């Protein structure tokens, strides 16, 4: 008998438990049941859903990894592989492979060049230091308990893996695991994640197979001695596909790797494996238990969008998705689906808004909660910051003034201590007809006299024009109206409100919308439907160049966008 409660609506075998680096992160926004279900790869939805796929490749690193496999393991010429990448649109001529969007092809080619250069630089540094060079390793590494008696969790097999690029010294003394990030190289990772990565590299056995079945250990007689040797040291390298930077996160011996895994690695994995409880959100998209989950509201008529003519995989939708698609479908595909964003400098207004937002989140999240009027302003209004961002000069002075203006409209001022407050809480609902998870993250949610108050706070450089269509200008307000009207959060709809707070340096614009009024709901439905209808049917994601190309996070890989800016540059220069 398993001590882990199998979620309703699932079936299959739970005797295999497999964990990875994602499980070790223990993101508090994740759903515990989703995380523990993912740790049981042979667990399935009941009835099982068909395997569906989008037109384009949506596994961002698939082409990158396939190309490096050809270069590193099959010893193909990099120039030849990159040409084949372009010619075959990322399929490399293999049957039933999905082609890539042109932006992903461009990004992948650049990331491959970045990785080859980083590996070359790392090898030169090792040679200069008198250290043995490392070579690519094809087989995955996995550690854990082989099939045996079923334990209290109902498991007879445990496996732990760490995904990335693998390398080992020919003398068997060193193993390396290169972890991959879409954008710039991360400065660090959680201690538990580093401990798991290091221990998998230190003790993992070469394996093949996997997915929904147990790994198969590769027989030692089929491998070179260095691939089965227990290394003296392990290195974990952080590599940024976006900027090509690489950084050594750790260099440990066997004893240190084991000590860290026992201290922080396995405890984190155990929490992931044993997780119970539900938290609706982005994890619902590929959750095996969604069909019978009672924690997420069903809203079959939220969007007024017709179901697709042919079945598509379950998708998620947010207002940020819709705005990106409205600007340019290619931008949506690159930045929202593939999660590719170039590291472009933020405008002063955006940076100021982010810092003000961070400060308000910290204040609203204090326990017990209290009004922002109780918090002092920055000690030096001309130089202050929050998190990793720092403001100075006019940005800082304006931001401090906006914080002061907010204190007069802080929703926590006078709020009864029995009311519930949620800061940056992810709200989700599910449309079973569209097989769509709709997600919103308001700046602040709180209850008041039995209703829910949905507050969106923005820093503004201009005032609203009289008669301006509020929900069309800020469609997140429209989605908030629809979710509250549909009872996604529960509570008394007649006592609920969606509020907009626009912070200026010398004033506050405050507006509110009543989700119990049919006219307000109908207007909100029209706003969201207008944005969602073209998004719902799009599978090609063409680039639509225009004024939005300036500052686009996907511009670095977009030929149409760059061509548009080059063609219009003389015009813009003349205007200035």
């Amino acid at each position: 008998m398993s001590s882990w409660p199998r979620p309703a609506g699932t079936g299959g075998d739970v005797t295999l438990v497999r964990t990875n680096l994602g499980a070790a992160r223990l993101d508090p926004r994740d759903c515990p049941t989703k995380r523990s279900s993912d740790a049981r790869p042979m667990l399935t939805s009941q009835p099982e859903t068909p395997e569906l796929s989008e037109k384009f490749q949506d596994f961002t690193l698939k082409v990158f990894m396939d190309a490096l496999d050809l270069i590193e393991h099959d010893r193909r010429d990099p120039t030849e592989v990159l040409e084949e990448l372009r010619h075959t649109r990322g399929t490399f001529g293999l049957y039933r492979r999905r082609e890539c969007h042109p932006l992903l092809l461009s990004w992948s080619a650049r990331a491959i060049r970045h990785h080859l250069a980083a590996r070359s630089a790392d090898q030169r540094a090792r040679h200069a230091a008198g250290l043995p060079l490392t070579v690519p390793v094809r087989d995955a590494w996995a550690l854990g308990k082989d099939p045996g008696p079923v334990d209290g969790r109902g498991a007879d097999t445990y496996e732990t893996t760490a995904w990335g690029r693998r390398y080992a010294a020919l003398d068997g003394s060193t193993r390396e695991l290169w972890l991959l990030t879409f954008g710039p190289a991360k400065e660090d990772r959680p201690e538990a994640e580093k401990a798991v990565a290091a221990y998998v590299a230190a003790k993992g056995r070469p394996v093949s197979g996997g997915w929904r079945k147990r790994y198969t250990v590769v027989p030692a007689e089929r491998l070179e001695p260095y691939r089965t040797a227990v290394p003296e040291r392990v290195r974990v390298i952080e590599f940024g596909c976006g900027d090509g930077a690489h950084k050594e996160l750790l260099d440990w011996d066997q004893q240190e790797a084991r000590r860290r895994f026992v201290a922080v690695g396995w405890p984190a994995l155990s929490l992931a494996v044993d997780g119970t409880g539900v938290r609706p959100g982005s994890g619902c998209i590929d959750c095996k238990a969604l069909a019978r989950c009672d924690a997420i509201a069903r809203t079959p008529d939220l969007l007024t969008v017709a179901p697709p003519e042919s079945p598509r995989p379950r998708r998620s939708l947010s207002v940020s998705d819709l705005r990106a698609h409205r600007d340019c479908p290619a931008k949506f595909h690159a930045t929202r689906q593939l999660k590719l964003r170039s590291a472009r400098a933020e405008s002063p207004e955006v940076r100021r808004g982010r810092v003000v937002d961070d400060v308000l989140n910290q204040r609203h999240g204090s326990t017990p909660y209290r009004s922002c009027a109780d918090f002092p302003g920055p000690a030096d209004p001309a130089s202050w910051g929050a998190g990793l961002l720092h403001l100075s000069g006019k940005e800082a002075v304006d931001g401090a003034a906006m914080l002061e203006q907010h204190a007069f409209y802080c929703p926590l001022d006078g709020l009864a201590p029995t009311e519930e407050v949620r800061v940056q809480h992810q709200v989700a609902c599910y449309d079973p007809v569209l097989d769509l998870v709709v997600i919103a993250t308001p700046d602040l949610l709180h209850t008041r006299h039995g209703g829910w108050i949905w507050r969106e706070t923005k820093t503004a450089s201009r005032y609203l024009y009289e008669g301006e269509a509020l929900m069309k200008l800020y469609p997140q307000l429209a989605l908030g109206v629809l979710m509250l009207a549909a009872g996604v959060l529960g509570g008394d709809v007649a006592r609920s409100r969606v509020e907009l707070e626009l912070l200026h340096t010398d004033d506050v614009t405050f507006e509110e919308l009543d989700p119990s009024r049919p006219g307000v709901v109908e207007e909100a439905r029209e706003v969201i439907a207008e944005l969602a209808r073209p998004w719902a049917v799009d599978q090609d994601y063409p680039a639509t160049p225009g004024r939005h190309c300036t500052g686009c996070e996907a511009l670095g890989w977009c030929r149409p966008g760059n061509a548009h800016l080059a063609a219009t540059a003389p015009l813009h220069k003349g205007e200035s």
Side-chain angles (χ1 to χ4, degrees):
M1 178 69 70
S2 171
S3 62
W4 180 72
R6 182 196 298 265
T10 62
D13 193 342
V14 297
T15 57
L16 169 63
V17 169
R18 178 182 295 151
T19 51
N20 54 26
L21 298 186
R25 296 184 195 119
L26 292 179
D27 190 328
R29 297 168 296 182
D30 290 344
C31 172
T33 293
K34 164 67 163 54
R35 191 162 46 206
S36 59
S37 297
D38 286 347
R40 291 158 172 86
M42 296 193 293
L43 183 77
T44 60
S45 300
Q46 291 293 323
E48 287 198 52
T49 55
E51 293 292 335
L52 302 171
S53 62
E54 293 283 7
K55 174 180 176 179
F56 286 126
Q57 176 62 253
D58 54 6
F59 178 16
T60 306
L61 289 170
K62 174 64 176 171
V63 177
F64 170 86
M65 295 293 273
D66 286 349
L68 285 180
D69 284 348
L70 292 173
I71 295 168
E72 294 187 335
H73 303 318
D74 296 348
R75 302 192 178 187
R76 297 269 301 276
D77 178 76
T79 302
E80 175 188 309
V81 170
L82 288 171
E83 175 58 27
E84 187 174 349
L85 165 72
R86 184 194 64 81
H87 178 70
T88 65
R89 298 183 181 180
T91 67
F92 294 105
L94 297 176
Y95 179 61
R96 298 186 68 179
R97 289 286 179 92
R98 286 179 287 164
E99 293 183 355
C100 293
H101 191 281
L103 267 68
L104 180 56
L105 289 179
S106 179
W107 179 89
S108 299
R110 187 176 302 178
I112 292 162
R113 295 188 187 97
H114 281 330
H115 190 272
L116 295 175
R119 272 283 297 161
S120 178
D122 187 75
Q123 292 288 79
R124 290 196 300 271
R126 290 185 66 80
H127 177 73
L131 298 172
L133 302 184
T134 57
V135 295
V137 172
R138 185 186 295 270
D139 300 307
W141 293 321
L143 52 83
K145 170 192 160 192
D146 290 334
V150 174
D151 64 12
R153 291 191 180 97
D156 64 13
T157 308
Y158 287 84
E159 298 171 347
T160 300
T161 64
W163 194 79
R165 302 300 301 179
R166 297 169 297 276
Y167 304 92
L170 288 174
D171 63 0
S173 64
T174 305
R175 280 184 180 178
E176 296 176 351
L177 181 64
W178 286 51
L179 304 182
L180 311 173
T181 300
F182 294 165
K186 294 179 180 178
E187 289 298 314
D188 206 356
R189 292 183 182 242
E191 292 301 315
E193 184 179 0
K194 292 190 294 185
V196 172
Y199 200 56
V200 169
K203 302 291 287 185
R205 295 176 295 177
V207 296
S208 61
W211 197 50
R212 285 190 177 179
K213 59 183 180 180
R214 290 166 175 80
Y215 279 118
T216 300
V217 177
V218 180
E221 58 268 20
R222 287 171 43 189
L223 301 173
E224 300 89 344
Y226 76 89
R227 291 172 65 187
T228 59
V230 177
E232 299 169 7
R233 303 198 69 81
V234 293
R235 300 174 72 215
V236 175
I237 312 295
E238 177 72 32
F239 172 71
C241 295
D243 63 0
H246 69 288
K247 174 185 178 182
E248 183 180 87
L249 294 180
L250 60 90
D251 181 352
W252 295 342
D253 60 21
Q254 280 278 342
Q255 291 72 27
E256 183 67 6
R258 176 176 176 76
R259 185 183 72 80
R260 299 287 188 104
F261 182 75
V262 170
V264 296
W266 178 243
L269 296 181
S270 297
L271 288 173
V273 169
D274 295 331
T276 58
V278 290
R279 184 185 177 99
S282 56
C284 298
I285 301 164
D286 58 349
C287 180
K288 305 169 187 177
L290 179 64
R292 296 277 300 278
C293 179
D294 296 330
I296 186 167
R298 263 64 176 173
T299 54
D301 57 349
L302 190 77
L303 299 183
T304 323
V305 173
E309 294 183 1
S310 57
R312 297 179 70 171
R314 183 181 300 147
R315 295 188 289 169
S316 66
L317 180 66
S318 69
V319 167
S320 296
D321 294 333
L322 293 177
R323 284 194 302 237
H325 189 273
R326 176 191 61 193
D327 289 347
C328 173
K331 171 187 174 180
F332 160 77
H333 180 65
T335 64
R336 306 300 300 179
Q337 289 187 313
L338 301 176
K339 312 300 183 186
L340 300 178
R341 296 182 176 92
S342 61
R344 301 179 68 86
E346 292 179 320
S347 69
E349 292 79 14
V350 170
R351 184 167 52 250
R352 180 195 62 201
R354 283 222 291 143
V355 175
V356 170
D357 191 50
D358 285 347
V359 171
L360 293 180
N361 289 338
Q362 293 172 19
R363 292 180 175 182
H364 294 156
S366 61
T367 304
Y369 58 79
R370 53 195 175 119
S371 169
C372 287
D374 296 339
F375 289 88
D380 180 2
S383 180
W384 59 281
L388 298 176
L389 288 179
H390 185 83
L391 300 179
S392 60
K394 187 177 186 302
E395 290 177 53
V397 172
D398 288 350
M402 290 175 173
L403 289 176
E404 185 177 357
Q405 293 300 324
H406 167 80
F408 295 104
Y409 280 84
C410 180
L412 305 187
D413 188 19
L415 191 67
T418 54
E419 302 287 8
E420 184 175 353
V421 176
R422 301 178 184 177
V423 180
Q424 290 285 318
H425 177 79
Q426 200 170 72
V427 183
C429 58
Y430 177 58
D431 185 330
V433 177
L434 300 175
D435 198 13
L436 181 68
V437 179
V438 183
I439 298 173
T441 308
D443 292 317
L444 184 67
L445 281 170
H446 68 86
T447 55
R448 186 175 65 199
H449 304 312
W452 278 98
I453 309 303
W454 181 302
R455 173 71 70 95
E456 298 285 358
T457 301
K458 308 297 175 189
T459 58
S461 299
R462 71 170 181 86
Y463 288 89
L464 292 174
Y465 299 124
E466 185 175 354
E468 197 165 14
L470 193 63
M471 285 190 279
K472 197 163 187 176
L473 187 61
Y474 297 101
Q476 60 266 48
L477 304 178
L479 185 56
V481 166
L482 295 181
M483 285 185 158
L484 290 179
V488 172
L489 290 169
D492 185 348
V493 177
R495 294 178 177 269
S496 298
R497 295 291 184 272
V498 174
E499 299 176 343
L500 173 65
E501 175 188 13
L502 291 180
L503 297 176
H504 312 285
T505 57
D506 58 352
D507 197 3
V508 175
T509 300
F510 184 83
E511 302 283 346
E512 67 176 16
L513 300 164
D514 184 350
S516 69
R517 293 180 58 188
V520 173
V521 175
E522 185 58 32
E523 182 184 349
R525 203 176 301 280
E526 291 175 2
V527 167
I528 295 299
E530 183 180 352
L531 290 170
R533 284 171 188 150
W535 167 87
V537 298
D538 192 4
Q539 295 192 68
D540 298 321
Y541 309 119
T544 55
R547 297 182 63 180
H548 49 264
C549 290
T550 303
C552 176
E553 295 169 301
L555 182 64
W557 320 293
C558 182
R559 289 186 179 180
N562 281 287
H564 168 78
L565 291 180
T568 57
L571 174 63
H572 296 321
K573 184 177 181 181
E575 290 176 348
S576 62

